[in-house]
Amino acid sequence: MEDFLGYHSEWNLGSPGGWDYQRITQIIGKEVWNRLNAIRTIGVDLDFDHPLLYPINGFVEMLLEAYRAREGRNPGVIAVVAEEETLEDVTENVNLAAKLSEIDGIKGVLLAPHELEYRNGRVCHRGRPVSLIFMDFNTDILLSLHRKRDLSPLLTAVREGRVINPRGTEPINVKSTFELITGSCRNRFHPETVRRTPWTRKFHPRKTDGPKGEAIDDLIEWTRKRWDGLVLKPERGYSGKGVRVGGVHTDVEEAIGIAL
C-alpha cells in the first residue's frame, strides 16, 4: 500500500455535484473494501466515514446558515434551481433538495427557473415564499434562458440577495485548471497535488509539453497517435456527457471533431 498512488479526477468548486459524488464514492468504496476483506484480509484500516469525505453535509450547513441570517428560526423554503432538462437526471441536486428537507422547518425543493413566480411582493414557488435559492448554473446560462422565457422572479431574487451561486468561481471551476497544476505553474502547488493530478491540456491546435515533459509540436496530431491512452472531455459538463475515452471510443476523428 505504500506504493499506491491515488488520483483526484475533478475539482468541483461550484456545484454540490462533486461533493455528492464524493459521498457516493465512499459508500461504494466501503462496500467493495468490505467484500475484498471478506475474501482475503488485507490488514489496512480505512475510514470511509470520515466527515471530510462527506462535504455535502458542510454545504447544507452553509445554506442553512445563510437562511437563518435572513429568516431566523422561522420555517420556510430553500430552492435548488437547475436547468429543466437536468431535474430528473442530475442525482446530486435531487439529493441536495432531499437533504435540505430533513432539516426541521425547512422545505427543500428542486425546480426549473421558470417555475418561480412573483406574488404579493415575494418570490414564490407554488404560492409559498422562497427565502433562499441555490442556482446550479452560471450567469451566462441564466441570461440565455431569460431570453427564451421570462425569469423576472429569479432576477428579482438575485437583486434581493437571495441567490447563492458558486458558479461565480468560474473560470477556475473548470477542468482546464488542471493544466495550471500540471503545466507551467506546477511549482506553485504542493508536489503531492501535482503528483496526483492527471496531466491535462486544453485541446486545440497548439504547441505544449507532454506528460513526461516532452515537446509536443501539434497537440491534435499527438492525440491521434496516442488516442488509446487518452481522454477528451468538455471543459464544463456533468454526468459524462461529451466524454470520449481512448480504447472505448475507437473513432479518434469523431472524438477530435466533438472536442473542437
Side-chain angles (χ1 to χ4, degrees), residues 205-220:
R206 60 179 293 196
K207 294 182 178 181
T208 185
D209 59 313
K212 298 180 181 179
E214 71 276 19
I216 297 176
D217 293 327
D218 183 342
L219 183 58
I220 308 299

Side-chain angles (χ1 to χ4, degrees), residues 108-169:
V109 295
L110 174 61
L111 52 93
H114 63 269
E115 294 183 70
L116 291 168
E117 56 197 4
Y118 197 70
R119 290 189 184 182
N120 302 319
R122 286 293 304 270
V123 176
C124 299
H125 176 247
R126 297 180 180 176
R128 294 188 63 183
V130 175
S131 298
L132 194 71
I133 295 171
F134 171 78
M135 189 173 75
D136 192 33
F137 48 82
N138 63 31
T139 305
D140 287 342
I141 292 177
L142 169 60
L143 295 177
S144 175
L145 293 174
H146 184 49
R147 296 185 191 102
K148 300 174 183 177
R149 308 179 78 156
D150 183 12
L151 301 184
S152 296
L154 179 54
L155 295 177
T156 297
V158 172
R159 287 191 291 270
E160 293 177 349
R162 297 183 183 276
V163 175
I164 294 176
N165 178 24
R167 294 294 189 183
T169 58

Side-chain angles (χ1 to χ4, degrees), residues 33-255:
W33 189 253
N34 289 339
R35 292 194 180 192
L36 287 173
N37 275 273
I39 297 170
R40 180 177 179 180
T41 301
I42 299 174
V44 176
D45 291 328
L46 297 181
D47 183 5
F48 289 93
D49 300 315
H50 194 284
L52 183 64
L53 304 177
Y54 287 76
I56 191 68
N57 295 332
F59 180 60
V60 168
E61 291 173 4
M62 290 165 56
L63 292 178
L64 181 61
E65 183 178 348
Y67 174 90
R68 298 292 189 214
R70 299 189 66 96
E71 307 293 343
R73 306 297 299 184
N74 295 318
V77 175
I78 299 178
V80 179
V81 176
E83 295 166 85
E84 184 176 18
E85 64 271 19
T86 71
L87 295 181
E88 294 183 2
D89 298 332
V90 181
T91 306
E92 58 269 21
N93 282 334
V94 176
N95 291 344
L96 176 58
K99 188 77 173 176
L100 289 166
S101 287
E102 293 176 3
I103 302 170
D104 187 36
I106 300 297
K107 174 66 175 177
V109 295
L110 174 61
L111 52 93
H114 63 269
E115 294 183 70
L116 291 168
E117 56 197 4
Y118 197 70
R119 290 189 184 182
N120 302 319
R122 286 293 304 270
V123 176
C124 299
H125 176 247
R126 297 180 180 176
R128 294 188 63 183
V130 175
S131 298
L132 194 71
I133 295 171
F134 171 78
M135 189 173 75
D136 192 33
F137 48 82
N138 63 31
T139 305
D140 287 342
I141 292 177
L142 169 60
L143 295 177
S144 175
L145 293 174
H146 184 49
R147 296 185 191 102
K148 300 174 183 177
R149 308 179 78 156
D150 183 12
L151 301 184
S152 296
L154 179 54
L155 295 177
T156 297
V158 172
R159 287 191 291 270
E160 293 177 349
R162 297 183 183 276
V163 175
I164 294 176
N165 178 24
R167 294 294 189 183
T169 58
E170 295 180 3
I172 65 169
N173 181 34
V174 291
K175 299 173 182 69
S176 58
T177 303
F178 285 175
E179 177 165 349
L180 295 176
I181 302 171
T182 62
S184 59
C185 296
R186 60 188 296 127
N187 293 333
R188 299 188 179 188
F189 296 90
H190 192 282
E192 278 300 301
T193 299
V194 176
R195 189 166 174 246
R196 296 175 186 271
T197 300
W199 176 86
T200 303
R201 291 296 181 268
K202 194 167 183 179
F203 190 70
H204 59 89
R206 60 179 293 196
K207 294 182 178 181
T208 185
D209 59 313
K212 298 180 181 179
E214 71 276 19
I216 297 176
D217 293 327
D218 183 342
L219 183 58
I220 308 299
E221 189 59 33
W222 184 89
T223 299
R224 282 194 178 96
K225 293 178 179 179
R226 295 163 177 80
W227 176 233
D228 281 352
L230 299 172
V231 175
L232 281 170
K233 59 193 308 186
E235 187 175 43
R236 298 175 176 86
Y238 53 86
S239 301
K241 293 183 179 180
V243 175
R244 290 296 181 270
V245 180
V248 176
H249 302 99
T250 57
D251 189 342
V252 63
E253 296 304 326
E254 182 217 24

